[in-house]
Amino acid sequence: SNVTNMYSMFYQSNSIKIVDLSTLNISKSANMDWMMNNSNELELVVLPNISVSDLSMKGAFSSCYSLKSINIPNISASELNMEGLFDGCINLESVDLSIIKANKLKASSMFSNCLFLKQIDLSKMQVDKIKVDSMFNECKNLENIIFWNSINLLSEENEVHINSTTMEKMFYNCY
């Protein structure tokens, strides 16, 4: 069956350690907002490849304190919201981002407060327009980032701009 709404599906599920969603069919617009938010014992998540018109994963893994690594499979969406996706995953050390294709990507605070994240490869991202403010806020151990080749940055009003305001606080408190 085709799943479209997983909003808060495992919210505060503190006894779950492994979630395997690899068999789900996600081929229409989907809402994965806050899907596993505050699942403090979560260690492993397996996601399927996703190709949809619109996908929102806002805060999907935020505050999953035991999550140390995650593999994000191929994701293709016209509009993709990954704001706060890993915000507060204080023990997250590695993220494997496969190919992410999107016309418009909201990535504000995507890795905020990931205190042990040391490196990330964003080079496989194929994004036309992206919003990146506070993307790596408080990532105090971040040593290496491989960025994408070319994109347009979005302002708060979703207008295409390339200036310093579109990257506001992108690396705030990364020392």
Side-chain angles (χ1 to χ4, degrees), residues 132-137 147-148 167-172:
V132 295
D133 55 286
S134 300
M135 190 173 185
F136 298 102
N137 180 37
F147 281 103
W148 47 83
M167 296 178 139
E168 183 177 338
K169 296 184 180 180
M170 187 174 180
F171 298 101
Y172 184 75

Side-chain angles (χ1 to χ4, degrees), residues 66-85:
S66 297
L67 191 62
K68 289 188 178 182
S69 69
I70 189 166
N71 179 359
I72 301 292
N74 295 342
I75 295 177
S76 179
S78 238
E79 293 199 20
L80 179 57
N81 186 342
M82 293 181 141
E83 291 178 309
L85 184 64

Side-chain angles (χ1 to χ4, degrees), residues 140-155:
K140 297 182 182 204
N141 288 297
L142 192 59
E143 297 172 356
N144 187 26
I145 304 172
I146 301 171
F147 281 103
W148 47 83
N149 289 331
S150 67
I151 52 151
N152 290 314
L153 299 172
L154 293 176
S155 69

Side-chain angles (χ1 to χ4, degrees), residues 1-173:
S1 70
N2 193 349
V3 179
T4 59
N5 193 348
M6 292 173 271
Y7 180 88
S8 295
M9 186 164 69
F10 296 101
Y11 176 73
Q12 291 185 338
S13 298
N14 291 325
S15 61
I16 295 176
K17 291 187 179 209
I18 298 171
V19 174
D20 184 349
L21 302 173
S22 62
T23 60
L24 291 181
N25 176 7
I26 303 172
S27 59
K28 293 185 179 177
S29 295
N31 182 348
M32 299 170 90
D33 290 350
W34 315 109
M35 183 171 64
M36 296 175 198
N37 176 257
N38 282 324
S39 296
N40 295 330
E41 298 299 317
L42 186 66
E43 296 174 1
L44 176 66
V45 179
V46 181
L47 295 171
N49 289 333
I50 301 171
S51 181
V52 295
S53 58
D54 296 311
L55 175 63
S56 185
M57 300 177 80
K58 186 174 183 175
F61 306 105
S62 64
S63 299
C64 291
Y65 303 127
S66 297
L67 191 62
K68 289 188 178 182
S69 69
I70 189 166
N71 179 359
I72 301 292
N74 295 342
I75 295 177
S76 179
S78 238
E79 293 199 20
L80 179 57
N81 186 342
M82 293 181 141
E83 291 178 309
L85 184 64
F86 302 107
D87 187 7
C89 293
I90 57 175
N91 290 303
L92 187 65
E93 296 172 1
S94 67
V95 178
D96 181 4
L97 292 172
S98 295
I99 296 173
I100 293 181
K101 295 180 182 179
N103 292 334
K104 189 183 337 180
L105 171 63
K106 293 180 180 178
S108 299
S109 302
M110 187 172 174
F111 301 102
S112 282
N113 300 298
C114 293
L115 302 179
F116 290 99
L117 186 63
K118 289 186 179 181
Q119 65 179 12
I120 187 142
D121 183 350
L122 303 173
S123 65
K124 295 178 188 173
M125 293 177 80
Q126 299 171 18
V127 177
D128 293 330
K129 300 171 187 168
I130 188 168
K131 184 178 176 195
V132 295
D133 55 286
S134 300
M135 190 173 185
F136 298 102
N137 180 37
E138 298 282 341
C139 292
K140 297 182 182 204
N141 288 297
L142 192 59
E143 297 172 356
N144 187 26
I145 304 172
I146 301 171
F147 281 103
W148 47 83
N149 289 331
S150 67
I151 52 151
N152 290 314
L153 299 172
L154 293 176
S155 69
E156 198 61 40
E157 297 80 31
N158 290 328
E159 298 170 3
V160 177
H161 294 288
I162 299 180
N163 61 36
S164 61
T165 61
T166 58
M167 296 178 139
E168 183 177 338
K169 296 184 180 180
M170 187 174 180
F171 298 101
Y172 184 75
N173 253 349

